[in-house]
Each structure stands twice: as structure tokens, then as C-alpha cells.
Amino acid sequence: MKQLSSSEIRQMYLDFFKSKGHTVEPSASLIPVDDPSLLWINSGVATMKKYFNGSVVPKNPRLTSSQKSIRTNDIENVGKTARHHTLFEMLGNFSVGDYFKEDAIKFAWELLTSDDWFGWDPDKLYMTVYPKDADAKKFWRQVGVAEDHIVEAEDNFWDIGEGPSGPDTEIFYDRGETFNNLSADDPENYPGGENERWLEVWNIVFSQFNHEPDGSYKPLPRKNIDTGMGLERVVSIFQNAKTNFETDLFLPMIHQTEAFSGQKYNTDPKLDVSFKVIADHSRAITFAIGDGALPSNEGRGYVIRRLIRRAVVNGQKLGIDGGFLYKLVPVVGEAMKAYYPEVLKNSDYIAEVVKSEEDRFNETLTDGLTLLNELIAETKKGQQKKIDGAEAFKLYDTYGFPVELTREYAADEGIAVDEAGFEAEMQKQRDRARSARKDENAMGVQSDLLIGIKTPSEYVGYTQLHVEAARVTDIIANGEIVDQASAGYAQVIFDKTPFYAEMGGQVADQGTVKTADGQLVADVTDVQHAPNGQNLHTLKLVAPIQVGDEFALDVDRHFHSKVEKNHTATHLLDQALRNVFGDHTQQAGSLVEPNYLRFDFTHFGQVTDEDLAKVEAIVNEKIFEEIPVTTVETDPETGKKMGAIALFSEKYGDVVRVVSIGDFSIEFCGGTHVKNTNEIGLFKIKSETGIGAGTRRIEAVTAGDAYEYLNGRDNLLKSVATTLKAPQVADVPTRVDQLQAVVKDLTSKAESLEAKLAGQQAGQIFENVETINGKTLISGVVQVSSMDQLRQLADTWRQKGLSDVLVLGTQVGEKANLLVAASDEAMKAGIKAGDLIKAIAPKVNGGGGGRPNLAQAGGKNPAGLNDAMAAASQWLENQA
């Protein structure tokens, strides 16, 4: 067999299908675009949904890709099996209503067995087919597959419920008897069974039916091919690796981890699991963060946080102290640079994010270990043999402790973990996640209604906002294609149009449809792209229209002009953000309305007022410089050579528009723009907020809206000046400083009076010392303003050595505060402040804790403070 690297194998696959007329689609971002049903891109076909559901018609119905994907539904198996991963690459070839079963099988066989391509031994290949799929069996026989290498399997039918479905065929590679982990008579010992000998490498889905709501299966009008081949598995075959981890996709990270730990891979099965987890997770977090996701407590961010924590814990198992995971980021980048050069390019930024999260978790890990040791101690104290399952799950969910780590620590102390209780909590979490998650695979059936409309339509809005005679070519009303419509709403396609269709965050144009003599026929309320690229106008009709009619189309120029100003301003803002924060900052979404603009961007960390001022100053500087805005049409490669910024999540056609604002900003963009930055007039940021992990949002206004915003702020400031009795607006800061000085002086006096009052109360309380069970106690309820005052009283008590134990309480607003302090002598006798506070806090409907010498609690029942004092006396009485 050929000796090939993973990059050579990936490229060979893509080259093969390119030679068969397929367009190579670049690997899309792991963060889904316009698809709320997915947390991550989890397969190659996930990026093709728009083609398969008919919302977009691809220029070429034959597509191929190597798509990076993330799945974490079986994360617990990573490292324990040969082929479970969180991040993987799915090689795929797709046919959208073009070739079908026969060609798909021919292509697969040629790629796998031809000496010009993979060159695998045909005798090592086995195929499973759906028993009722006679065509698949026939076509496999025709390419030369022996009868005993075709296995029928009932589960070879791809079905997600309602929607597209169909039989599939899976291809297995026989790795030989040395890989067989089963006995000869084991029922799973066959291609397609659960075994290590026959390795599944490719799944080809023949999407030919629609699963109807009534349970029936109707043939689809357009049959599709969807395939998936795991790159990691294929590489393991070429490189004769025992598992996927012994390939050039993972070994660089494993070898680097060996250097960090001083341990050797493939010497201890338990340690090998940790090596594999680290290698796998380092790839996933590197790619995910590189695509704009950041650690957080929810959604994608939680997945990244969990992966980092699992990797760190496994690093500790290998004896690695301190941060190490961030050092693997450039190793991942180097290993994957052939197809993903952007990872290495952004490795410094990715490593910074990982290091910050890793450092934070190393601090949390210490807290987790402390909690675990307390659990073990409490379990022993109660003479129990198992750690409570709910508590073990809390360790797992809150501190990122895998249950196996809790199990190992507990076993060292001779106790176990309540596995059933842990699993019950885990199932609750799965149920919550399942109920919140939409069907990840829902695609729907192709819409023949719009797909079938292929009449050409020309968009002329870049150069003109009025068309004298636009002919109606297609009308859709009440869900049907019709020749005419007379009332209500209708969707219409014209042979040419000046109306911009919503795209790239820019809202659609609005305007009117009129007769040649100026009579209003309809208002244009929305414009969207039809599957075959035409602009689809939503009209609110006031007069009848029919196919063949010609009308004058007019865009609302004021509306359009305001949108243009805001759109060009977003380009200036985009580049200004890069200038201030660095090139790692990427656009994460935008909305360009006539009255404001919204721009989302990736940034790890806070944005200061000083940062915003710099950004705003740069944008206005470019406006005042009166820079011409130019547009050229070219091919994507030429555009990139010009320095144009491309959105990683966007797919670009053969022809792209490059919008340049001098040499300051150059971007791919299909939107409309001003001709000179001076048309924008003024730019003002209204707000900046965080909207998710590592994603920030700026809202801003331009031109007249910016003037109105600033004028409103000016009027507000004048109102404040009047209220403060400041002679001029400019005097407001001085007047505020004066008032703050007064407030500070009054606060100081109030605190002094409170301290005197507290001292007087303390003098009274400190005189009342009672002896209980051989220990002296001072307790009482005082009137102070905060817990700080209680702590100050405790400091005085400790300095004077007034008793063994001090218990104080106070009411602050509607809440109760409690404080307990214990002297050194009391602690030597086994009295701990933390134990006492836990005993009395329930009296005020609260809880608390602290150190053995000082503890505090809060509660919602101030009426129970005196009961808490009595409970303290009783607690001391009960101490042996």
C-alpha cells in the first residue's frame, strides 16, 4: 500500500472528485451560519443543507469537501476507543439532483481500488446494503465486488423521521485477523458488527424518499447523494496504525505531551487514555477558538470549557504541573497547516485564550480537590461506603471533574461512588439538553415551487434606483405560481430590478411599483433571493398585476441612501476594530438598517471606553478625509491578492465584488455603498456590549441620526446642569465633584457615629460573659449597618481575649447577618466557627461557612436572630 501523509490523502480525495466534475467546497467554520438547529457543524452535509432543502440552487450540483466537524455526544469514550474523537474531518461527495446510485458506487470503487488513487486491495473491501435495495447490490456486483463481500444489514436505512430518507451502503476495510478482538462464533464478528477487524470507512446515503407525516415513503422528485468518509480512519489504514491516534494527525501532540510529562506513550494503558484525550481535545479547542468560539458557561463556550478541563485533568494524571495545553496550540497548527494555514497564523491568539482558561481552571481544580476531600471525609465520618451520586455529579458539572477521577480518589480512601445516583443526575442533564435542542438533521424537502423558477432577472441597483419598464416574469400568490394577482400580498420576479435583496446584513430596499402614467400598483415591502438567484419581491398590491405586464420600479431613495451610509460605516468600523484590537478580531454578524447599524465582532476580553474612543476617532477621521469608495468585480483569488478581507463563514462564487475605501479598508461585499466617505457625515457609537462568549456588539448611528443622538445627549446634559444649579454645562463636572465631596464627608461622619454606637453596644455585650460546658461565650444582637461592622467588633474581641467563643447578629434591611469567632484555645478543644455557624444559621433561614476561627452567614429571617443566639448556647452545651 502507498505510504501517504494525511494531507496527501485529503488532497487525493478532493482531486479525485474534482476530476469527476465536482466543485471543491472549502471547509466551513465550525460555527453554523444561519442554522440555529446546530450547536456545531457536525458533518459535511451540515454545510450543504441549503442545497438539499432547495433554499439555494448550487451552480454545480456536484460538490465535494473535507469538512472539519465537532461532536461531543460521546465524549466519555474519547481516549478509551480506537476511533472516538471530538474534532474530526469528514470527506464527502454530494450530488444535488444529479448523479445517483450507480455513479456514486462507481466513483467509490474507482477511488478506493484504482492504482492511480488509493490503490487498496479489492479483496479487503466489504459492503453492507439495505436488504430491499436490489440496485445497490447490483451496482456493487457490476464494479467487481464478490458476492460474499456484500452483506445485507437491516439498519442500512437513513431516516430522521419526517423528511428526506433512503437506503445507504457502508464500506468496510478488512484489517486482518490480527485486529480481530472477537471469537469466531461471536455474532458481531462480521463486516458491520461491533468489532475491530472490519473498519467502516465510508457511508453513502441514497436520499430518494420523503418520509411523509402519515408514515409512508414517497419518491423524491430529485434524488440526492450524501456521503461521509472519516479522514482519521482512512489515514490509520494508509499508515498501518493500530488506532487513529498513531497517525500524523495526533502523534505530534502526543509526542509533545510526552516531553511535558516525562511519561512515555504506549507503555501503560491507563496513561495512554490521558495522552489520547489531550491530543484529541487540543485539536478541538484550537480549531473551535480559531473559528471564533470562546470558553463560557453555556452553549459552544461550555463545550470548549469542558474540553479544556478534561485535558487539564488528564495532564495532571500524567504528572504535568501548571499550564501546558496552550503550548500545544502551535503544534496543532503545524500538523494541520497544509489545509488549514489560518490555525498556525492565529496560534498566538488561540494560545492566549487557552492559557487564560487553563490558568483559571487550575485555580478551580484546587477548590474542586478540596471539596472532594471534604466529601470523602464526610462519607467516612458518616460510616458510609459510597460518595453521594448527586455530589459526585456536582464535582463533574461545576468543577469539570470526570467521574472516573472522583472514583480513583475515593478508591484510594477505600470508598466507592454512587454510580446509579451519578448516572441519574447525568440523565437529567441529557434530558434538559435534548428538550432544548432542535433536530440537528432536519432538512425538509426541496421546494419545487421556487426551484422550478429559472427565468433570468437582472439586478441593476448598483447604478440606478429607477427602472422605466420592468416586465413581470413570475408571480407566486397563496403558495402557488399564478398568471395574475389582484389583492393582498404576492411575490413577484421582474426581468430587471433596482431593488436590493437582503443579504450580508444589509436590509432589503423598499419602494413602489407604478404604471407608466404614475398610478400606484404596489408597495415593495421586502426583497429576498430566490433559490436560482433572482430577486424575489414581496408586493402589497393595490391594483392587479399579471405576467407580462411592464411597470416602473422606484426605490425609496431616502431609505436607500441611509442604508448605504450605514453599510459603508460598518466597513470603516470593521477595519478600525482590527487596528485597535488586532487582526484576530473578526466580524461575527451585522445588521444595516436605515436608522442605525449593528456590528458583532469576536474579541477576547473587555472593551474599555478608551478603546471605543480610539475606534470612533478612526472612523470619523476616515469620514473627514473624504476618501473615494470604489468597487471592482473580479474572481476570488484576485480579490484576495488585492488584500480583500473575506468572511470565513461565507461562500463566494466565481465573480465577487471588492469594495475599497482607499487603502484603509478592502473587503468582499455584495452590498451598496456611498461613493465617498464624506457622504456619511458623522459616526457615533451608541453602545457596546457583550452578547456571548467572546462576542461583542456595537450599535452606532451616522449622519442625521448621529446629529439627533448627540443633540439629545446635549439637551440631557443641559437638564442635568439645571438640576445641579451649575451656571454652564461646562461646570457640571466641577459641581458633581463638589457634591461627591459633601457625600463623602457625610458618609464619613455616619460611619464614625456607627462605630461609636457599635463600640457602646460592644461594651455592653462584652460585659455579659457566660460559661457553658467549660467554655466562655459572648453573644448578642447589635445594631450595625453591615457585616464589616461585625468583623470589626470581632477584631476588638480577639485583641482583648474576652472569651473562647463570640456570636454576633445584626439586621441589615430585610436580612439577617451572623458572625461566629473562636479563639485559639477553643479551636484546640475542637470548637470550630464553621461548625457553629452551620448549626445556628437555619434559625434565620440562611446558611454560611468559613474558617475554623471565623465564619459568617446570611439569612432572610431577622426575627430569628435571638433564636440563633440561644441555639449557639445549646450547641456549646452539647459539645463533649
Side-chain angles (χ1 to χ4, degrees):
M1 184 181 294
K2 303 172 184 177
Q3 293 298 310
L4 298 175
S5 68
S6 57
S7 60
E8 290 173 326
I9 295 166
R10 182 196 297 111
Q11 194 59 51
M12 181 179 288
Y13 180 93
L14 297 175
D15 287 345
F16 173 81
F17 281 102
K18 186 176 181 180
S19 74
K20 302 300 181 184
H22 292 64
T23 296
V24 178
E25 293 275 297
S27 186
S29 169
L30 287 165
I31 301 175
V33 177
D34 298 327
D35 189 352
S37 70
L38 290 178
L39 190 64
W40 300 101
I41 290 298
N42 60 7
S43 63
V45 74
T47 66
M48 307 288 176
K49 280 187 179 182
K50 60 186 177 183
Y51 301 139
F52 281 94
N53 67 18
S55 60
V56 176
V57 175
K59 291 184 177 180
N60 182 358
R62 298 187 178 197
L63 304 163
T64 186
S65 67
S66 180
Q67 176 61 47
K68 59 181 183 286
S69 308
I70 282 183
R71 293 180 191 171
T72 58
N73 54 311
D74 50 6
I75 190 175
E76 294 82 4
N77 291 323
V78 173
K80 297 178 181 178
T81 69
R83 287 171 288 279
H84 271 99
H85 303 297
T86 52
L87 177 104
F88 58 94
E89 281 185 83
M90 190 64 79
L91 301 167
N93 60 286
F94 309 91
S95 169
V96 185
D98 188 46
Y99 66 83
F100 195 52
K101 202 169 298 185
E102 181 175 8
D103 285 331
I105 288 174
K106 286 181 178 179
F107 291 156
W109 187 251
E110 182 182 353
L111 172 67
L112 295 174
T113 63
S114 171
D115 291 336
D116 294 331
W117 301 102
F118 282 11
W120 288 356
D121 183 353
D123 289 339
K124 292 186 177 294
L125 296 175
Y126 288 77
M127 288 70 185
T128 59
V129 296
Y130 186 57
K132 297 179 182 179
D133 190 358
D135 287 340
K137 285 183 279 187
K138 178 180 70 174
F139 295 138
W140 280 125
R141 293 190 197 102
Q142 286 179 358
V143 297
V145 179
E147 191 68 35
D148 60 353
H149 281 227
I150 302 175
V151 180
E152 293 186 352
E154 283 289 342
D155 61 354
N156 274 46
F157 194 92
W158 186 78
D159 195 346
I160 59 171
E162 293 182 18
S165 61
D168 62 78
T169 182
E170 295 174 333
I171 302 172
F172 294 81
Y173 184 89
D174 183 3
R175 309 202 71 184
E177 188 61 38
T178 56
F179 280 86
N180 202 347
N181 62 326
L182 303 176
S183 61
D185 58 352
D186 193 295
E188 293 294 327
N189 194 7
Y190 71 96
E194 293 293 331
N195 60 73
E196 295 296 325
R197 175 175 177 175
W198 285 281
L199 178 62
E200 180 190 343
V201 294
W202 209 347
N203 184 23
I204 302 173
V205 178
F206 309 120
S207 184
Q208 63 188 92
F209 300 110
N210 186 54
H211 190 163
E212 299 291 334
D214 62 4
S216 64
Y217 291 87
K218 294 184 179 179
L220 286 169
R222 292 175 179 81
K223 297 177 173 60
N224 306 312
I225 292 293
D226 158 25
T227 82
M229 171 187 276
L231 175 65
E232 293 78 12
R233 296 185 177 209
V234 177
V235 174
S236 74
I237 294 173
F238 273 105
Q239 297 181 6
N240 195 30
K242 182 180 179 182
T243 74
N244 292 355
F245 291 95
E246 285 82 31
T247 67
D248 63 4
L249 291 168
F250 296 91
L251 282 176
M253 284 69 78
I254 289 175
H255 291 327
Q256 186 62 64
T257 306
E258 286 179 322
F260 291 152
S261 65
Q263 304 283 358
K264 283 295 180 183
Y265 179 65
N266 213 19
T267 58
D268 182 334
K270 287 187 177 180
L271 294 182
D272 285 352
V273 171
S274 293
F275 276 112
K276 293 173 181 177
V277 168
I278 291 169
D280 174 272
H281 290 9
S282 64
R283 284 169 27 109
I285 62 175
T286 295
F287 274 88
I289 294 171
D291 280 355
L294 289 172
S296 72
N297 286 327
E298 58 184 19
R300 283 183 284 271
Y302 179 73
V303 172
I304 297 175
R305 175 161 287 167
R306 184 181 179 194
L307 292 174
I308 290 175
R309 291 180 173 186
R310 293 188 87 248
V312 169
V313 168
N314 278 276
Q316 290 207 347
K317 289 183 180 181
L318 293 175
I320 303 176
D321 293 324
F324 72 96
L325 195 58
Y326 73 97
K327 298 176 184 177
L328 289 176
V329 170
V331 181
V332 174
E334 188 66 34
M336 306 296 287
K337 67 180 181 181
Y339 200 64
Y340 301 100
E342 69 277 1
V343 175
L344 196 58
K345 178 183 176 183
N346 297 324
S347 61
D348 288 346
Y349 165 70
I350 300 170
E352 177 190 351
V353 175
V354 175
K355 186 177 187 303
S356 175
E357 182 68 17
E358 194 174 6
D359 290 345
R360 185 180 296 114
F361 178 54
N362 275 322
E363 297 174 5
T364 304
L365 190 58
T366 302
D367 295 337
L369 285 171
T370 301
L371 180 57
L372 176 57
N373 289 329
E374 289 178 0
L375 280 175
I376 292 173
E378 290 178 8
T379 303
K380 283 184 169 182
K381 185 177 179 180
Q383 297 183 337
Q384 301 294 315
K385 295 182 179 179
K386 290 183 179 181
I387 288 178
D388 180 70
E391 293 294 340
F393 181 78
K394 179 181 177 182
L395 273 172
Y396 165 78
D397 195 44
T398 304
Y399 296 96
F401 265 66
V403 69
E404 59 265 22
L405 182 65
T406 302
R407 191 183 298 123
E408 290 172 14
Y409 273 88
D412 291 340
E413 299 293 330
I415 56 179
V417 174
D418 174 15
E419 303 286 351
F422 176 87
E423 183 56 35
E425 294 297 322
M426 179 67 82
Q427 187 59 47
K428 290 178 184 177
Q429 186 186 69
R430 292 192 191 107
D431 292 341
R432 288 192 296 269
R434 187 177 298 112
S435 64
R437 185 175 62 244
K438 298 180 181 179
D439 185 359
E440 293 185 351
N441 296 304
M443 281 193 183
V445 184
Q446 298 158 320
S447 172
D448 287 318
L449 190 67
L450 293 174
I451 290 176
I453 299 176
K454 298 182 179 180
T455 49
S457 176
E458 179 186 7
Y459 172 64
V460 298
Y462 291 130
T463 58
Q464 60 188 93
L465 298 181
H466 170 78
V467 171
E468 190 67 31
R471 183 172 55 85
V472 175
T473 62
D474 301 272
I475 302 173
I476 300 97
N478 300 318
E480 295 181 344
I481 296 176
V482 296
D483 291 328
Q484 60 182 10
S486 58
Y489 285 88
Q491 292 178 302
V492 175
I493 295 174
F494 298 94
D495 65 345
K496 55 184 173 181
T497 177
F499 287 93
Y500 181 83
E502 182 177 348
M503 182 177 64
Q506 179 177 336
V507 297
D509 278 328
Q510 297 179 3
T512 60
V513 178
K514 296 181 179 179
T515 61
D517 59 0
Q519 295 297 311
L520 181 66
V521 174
D523 290 315
V524 179
T525 61
D526 189 29
V527 189
Q528 298 292 327
H529 286 281
N532 287 295
Q534 310 98 326
N535 285 16
L536 187 65
H537 307 71
T538 298
L539 305 185
K540 184 179 181 181
L541 298 171
V542 297
I545 63 170
Q546 64 181 20
V547 173
D549 284 348
E550 289 191 349
F551 297 105
L553 305 183
D554 281 287
V555 172
D556 183 329
R557 291 176 181 270
H558 181 64
F559 182 100
H560 181 89
S561 176
K562 294 183 70 174
V563 171
E564 279 189 335
K565 290 179 174 65
N566 286 339
H567 197 161
T568 305
T570 64
H571 283 226
L572 293 173
L573 174 60
D574 187 11
Q575 187 57 50
L577 289 168
R578 295 174 193 273
N579 288 4
V580 173
F581 297 116
D583 287 340
H584 69 269
T585 300
Q586 299 178 17
Q587 180 178 338
S590 67
L591 176 64
V592 183
E593 292 270 5
N595 297 319
Y596 81 107
L597 65 92
R598 188 179 74 205
F599 191 84
D600 300 341
F601 62 101
T602 59
H603 179 63
F604 180 64
Q606 293 297 312
V607 175
T608 66
D609 290 340
E610 183 182 0
D611 292 331
L612 284 180
K614 289 179 181 178
V615 170
E616 190 174 83
I618 291 172
V619 174
N620 280 303
E621 176 186 322
K622 299 305 172 185
I623 292 172
F624 303 152
E625 286 180 4
E626 301 183 344
I627 303 172
V629 180
T630 59
T631 304
V632 297
E633 291 190 349
T634 184
D635 60 273
E637 286 305 313
T638 301
K640 290 177 182 178
K641 291 177 182 177
M642 293 170 61
I645 295 173
L647 288 180
F648 190 65
S649 60
E650 292 289 336
K651 300 288 180 68
Y652 297 97
D654 298 332
V655 178
V656 295
R657 299 179 81 245
V658 177
V659 176
S660 300
I661 306 174
D663 58 3
F664 177 72
S665 168
I666 307 174
E667 293 190 29
F668 289 146
C669 182
T672 63
H673 292 271
V674 299
K675 292 181 173 57
N676 189 293
T677 58
N678 63 11
E679 296 177 41
I680 301 171
L682 185 65
F683 174 84
K684 182 62 185 175
I685 294 174
K686 292 181 63 176
S687 65
E688 189 281 332
T689 56
I691 59 170
T695 305
R696 315 291 302 181
R697 170 171 291 173
I698 284 177
E699 293 191 359
V701 286
T702 65
D705 294 299
Y707 166 77
E708 290 181 7
Y709 174 74
L710 290 173
N711 195 46
R713 299 294 289 267
D714 184 54
N715 289 333
L716 179 63
L717 189 56
K718 289 176 181 177
S719 175
V720 171
T722 300
T723 302
L724 295 177
K725 298 181 179 179
Q728 303 290 334
V729 167
D731 297 321
V732 167
T734 301
R735 184 64 179 140
V736 169
D737 288 341
Q738 292 171 348
L739 290 174
Q740 285 183 328
V742 171
V743 170
K744 184 177 180 180
D745 180 58
L746 292 174
T747 301
S748 177
K749 290 178 180 178
E751 290 176 348
S752 176
L753 290 172
E754 285 182 0
K756 289 180 181 179
L757 178 61
Q760 291 174 358
Q761 294 180 77
Q764 298 171 358
I765 291 177
F766 288 168
E767 292 175 359
N768 297 321
V769 182
E770 56 181 322
T771 301
I772 301 175
N773 201 7
K775 298 292 182 293
T776 54
L777 168 69
I778 292 175
S779 64
V781 179
V782 296
Q783 295 179 2
V784 294
S785 61
S786 67
M787 182 65 77
D788 285 340
Q789 292 281 344
L790 292 183
R791 283 192 287 266
Q792 290 176 20
L793 291 176
D795 290 341
T796 301
W797 166 85
R798 194 178 299 279
Q799 290 169 5
K800 295 183 177 181
L802 298 175
S803 66
D804 294 317
V805 179
L806 173 69
V807 180
L808 296 175
T810 189
Q811 178 176 350
V812 179
E814 299 298 320
K815 295 183 179 180
N817 285 339
L818 288 171
L819 179 142
V820 174
S823 68
D824 293 341
E825 291 75 13
M827 289 188 290
K828 290 178 182 178
I831 296 175
K832 296 180 180 179
D835 294 340
L836 177 50
I837 202 77
K838 290 178 181 177
I840 67 175
K843 297 297 182 181
V844 293
N845 293 345
R851 303 186 303 274
N853 67 332
L854 185 69
Q856 61 190 51
K860 299 178 180 179
N861 178 31
L865 284 169
N866 288 323
D867 292 338
M869 300 301 113
S873 299
Q874 186 63 49
W875 186 85
L876 275 178
E877 183 70 40
N878 294 337
Q879 298 306 298

